[in-house]
Amino acid sequence: WLSFAAARFADAKAQGMLRPGVDPADAGWLFVSAFMGAKEILSYHRNWADLPRRAGANAALVLSAVLGSLAYDQEPSIQA
């Protein structure tokens, strides 16, 4: 997952979509670790039903942090 995410962020960088100074490999690590962390916490609390909402919110936060302001400007589309 890390190499897949890093490659997608490298594609975004090539298209001028990443914020200046954002490293695609670091962005990939952040994206994957945000999901994996949510998965671990929800597993610990046995609250799998909240995964779609948490994963969507995490993805929206990570993308808004690493992508340029015009590249990603929307609310998460996943609702619980």
Side-chain angles (χ1 to χ4, degrees):
W1 288 112
L2 290 173
S3 60
F4 177 81
R8 299 300 67 79
F9 284 113
D11 293 342
K13 183 174 185 170
Q15 296 175 26
M17 296 172 64
L18 288 188
R19 291 185 189 274
V22 172
D23 178 71
D26 290 342
W29 177 269
L30 178 62
F31 191 83
V32 172
S33 64
F35 176 79
M36 298 300 287
K39 185 178 75 108
E40 289 298 315
I41 292 169
L42 293 171
S43 174
Y44 178 79
H45 290 285
R46 297 182 181 163
N47 188 15
W48 287 108
D50 203 25
L51 183 61
R53 185 179 71 80
R54 293 290 184 176
N58 282 359
L61 287 169
V62 170
L63 292 175
S64 68
V66 301
L67 297 180
S69 61
L70 297 177
Y72 188 83
D73 188 20
Q74 66 183 29
E75 295 291 320
S77 62
I78 299 174
Q79 304 276 327

